[in-house]
Amino acid sequence: MRKNKKKDPLKQPPLSQAGNSGHERLYEFLDDKVLFWLLVVGLFGCVTWIQWIEWGRQKPIHPGVLTVVTVVLAIVASIRIYFAIKRARAMALGVRGEMVVGQQLEGLRTKGYRVYHDLVEKGFNIDHVLIGPGGVYVIETKTISKPGSGNPTVKYDGEGVLVDGRAPDRDPIAQAKANADRIVEVLGRATGSRPKVRAVVLFPGWWVERQRKGVEVWVLNPEAFVKFLGHEPVVLKSEEIALLSTALETYLRAAR
């Protein structure tokens, strides 16, 4: 008898959840930077141990050279693993930040917003996109450790950001603008029009000083951003929201 063929019941692939690509990058990083060195040291350690056992049995091979090589490798590996773990902790913090912000943004669905997370592009990812009555918002999340004392703040003068008095390693304003431009390109190509897109940078857990009106990029914490949206005028009708959302979802599923 012919076996019944089975088919996938899911007609479309699922959209990404907050932090998906961050988790993948973290696991790959740990495999490359930590697991490799552990395997190398473990291998040389086993071989060295065997050589010492053979030496104890009065075999002619002296394990001294191999022992030195193993010790040097262990020292190098310890240094590499130390810095890798430090970097991995920062990456893990970033992933948790994306997930926390993503959960806060999910609450905006009740206010008519479509919420999208972790849009993976070539060489970068866009953390979150909102499409709703107030317009289209492209969000870059920056989760940065805070000092244990004092009153650390984020300052934004309309051009640059200072986090506790220091500029971040990567300019979040430039990132947010580039991400917004990418979404404008994607939506424009699909709909034939170029919708206005607001670039946003969120610093979860930080106090962000009030910025002047009329800035191109919003810099806020997630709670303030959600409140801001509540006061924004309606610029998109329900059919426009549906059109833009369908265009973005089609692009995302095709990319996956």
Side-chain angles (χ1 to χ4, degrees), residues 156-159 198-199 211-219:
Y156 174 52
D157 61 3
E159 295 182 3
R198 169 74 69 178
Q211 56 222 241
R212 61 179 174 81
K213 293 183 178 180
V215 292
E216 183 181 358
V217 179
W218 286 359
V219 177

Side-chain angles (χ1 to χ4, degrees), residues 33-49 66-81:
K33 304 297 182 181
V34 176
L35 185 59
F36 168 78
W37 284 105
L38 289 176
L39 290 174
V40 169
V41 173
L43 176 62
F44 273 85
C46 289
V47 174
T48 302
W49 179 251
L66 191 57
T67 300
V68 172
V69 172
T70 303
V71 170
V72 171
L73 276 174
I75 294 172
V76 173
S78 298
I79 295 172
R80 292 291 185 92
I81 291 173

